[in-house]
Amino acid sequence: MNLLLSSAYLAPIQYYTKLLHSHGNTVYIEAFDHYVKQTYRNRCMITDANGPLALTIPTEKTGEGKCLMRDIRISDHGNWRHQHWNALEAAYRHTPFFQYYEDDFRPFYEKKIPYLYDFNMQLTQLICELIGMEVSFSPTEQYLHHPDGMADFRAAISPKIPWEEDGEFVPAEYYQVFKEKHGFIPNMSIVDLLFNMGPESIIILNANQSQPK
């Protein structure tokens, strides 16, 4: 069954588990929904020495009217690229695989990609490639209120909805560099898994339960 997902910035493991279990079907990334703040569209959760940390990409104001996700432009406010890269480096430089992957990720925090949708899509495709996942992505061409023949997770994967409410997702535990300090923290950004586990990331994703009922 094809999947329908929202665009996401360094999405959580729950999101990538859905991608892994797409089984060669097309994964449609929603481009025509109205942009909503405080979602994974422009925010990810990483784990640093103090516990979970949110990283948020600032976006340009769109006026009073609603704006489609595909039209949202990234703002340069607050030197966020420098701040996000420093946060990632501080959180993961002592992990086994940060140095192995840093040259893949650093360019995203040096170049300017105008639109959030494009930025997220390029990062998602890179991460799938690094993990070894073959996923067929396609942007949506219109907004479907009741998509037929698709597993629709656009609203289900959200910082506002506890992952425990997803009965198809049970996260497998893995090594985290701050595990002794904080205990295992599930469903962080996919980079938490990638930097800690490297090539074994796909094994962890396979161990997660995320099969359609």
Side-chain angles (χ1 to χ4, degrees):
M1 180 179 291
N2 294 334
L3 292 184
L4 181 57
L5 295 167
S6 294
S7 175
Y9 170 49
L10 298 178
I13 291 170
Q14 178 188 13
Y15 187 102
Y16 279 85
T17 302
K18 305 296 184 189
L19 293 181
L20 181 66
H21 291 293
S22 62
H23 300 300
N25 294 300
T26 300
V27 177
Y28 290 93
I29 304 299
E30 183 61 71
F32 287 86
D33 53 345
H34 289 137
Y35 177 69
V36 180
K37 294 181 179 180
Q38 297 182 348
T39 66
Y40 289 127
R41 291 173 179 83
N42 71 323
R43 184 172 75 172
C44 70
M45 296 296 299
I46 66 172
T47 305
D48 69 4
N50 296 313
L53 172 67
L55 300 179
T56 302
I57 298 176
T59 57
E60 293 185 0
K61 294 183 179 180
T62 58
E64 296 181 0
K66 294 180 179 180
C67 187
L68 299 180
M69 177 62 199
R70 67 171 186 171
D71 297 327
I72 293 295
R73 298 180 69 94
I74 294 175
S75 171
D76 292 329
H77 179 74
N79 197 19
W80 72 269
R81 294 176 181 85
H82 179 72
Q83 292 182 2
H84 282 211
W85 182 251
N86 282 353
L88 289 167
E89 189 173 25
Y92 296 113
R93 61 187 165 198
H94 296 303
T95 59
F97 294 97
F98 178 78
Q99 290 185 336
Y100 185 79
Y101 295 117
E102 65 176 318
D103 288 342
D104 294 300
F105 285 92
R106 187 187 292 110
F108 286 89
Y109 300 92
E110 295 176 340
K111 62 185 177 181
K112 293 184 178 181
I113 299 175
Y115 290 94
L116 180 62
Y117 187 92
D118 297 335
F119 181 81
N120 288 346
M121 192 71 260
Q122 291 179 34
L123 260 179
T124 301
Q125 290 173 325
L126 168 68
I127 292 168
C128 287
E129 180 181 340
L130 295 177
I131 293 175
M133 297 166 51
E134 294 185 4
V135 181
S136 176
F137 288 105
S138 179
T140 57
E141 297 181 354
Q142 61 180 329
Y143 186 81
L144 299 176
H145 291 276
H146 303 288
D148 295 325
M150 295 186 186
D152 184 2
F153 295 103
R154 289 175 296 181
I157 301 177
S158 167
K160 299 177 182 179
I161 300 177
W163 62 262
E164 292 91 343
E165 293 188 14
D166 181 354
E168 300 174 3
F169 175 66
V170 179
E173 191 167 323
Y174 59 91
Y175 168 81
Q176 291 175 325
V177 71
F178 298 112
K179 187 175 180 179
E180 289 188 6
K181 184 175 182 180
H182 302 297
F184 177 69
I185 303 176
N187 205 35
M188 291 291 97
S189 166
I190 188 63
V191 295
D192 186 82
L193 174 61
L194 189 63
F195 293 150
N196 278 299
M197 298 300 294
E200 294 186 17
S201 296
I202 196 166
I203 297 174
I204 300 299
L205 290 175
N206 263 314
N208 294 337
Q209 175 188 336
S210 186
Q211 300 288 353
K213 293 180 179 180

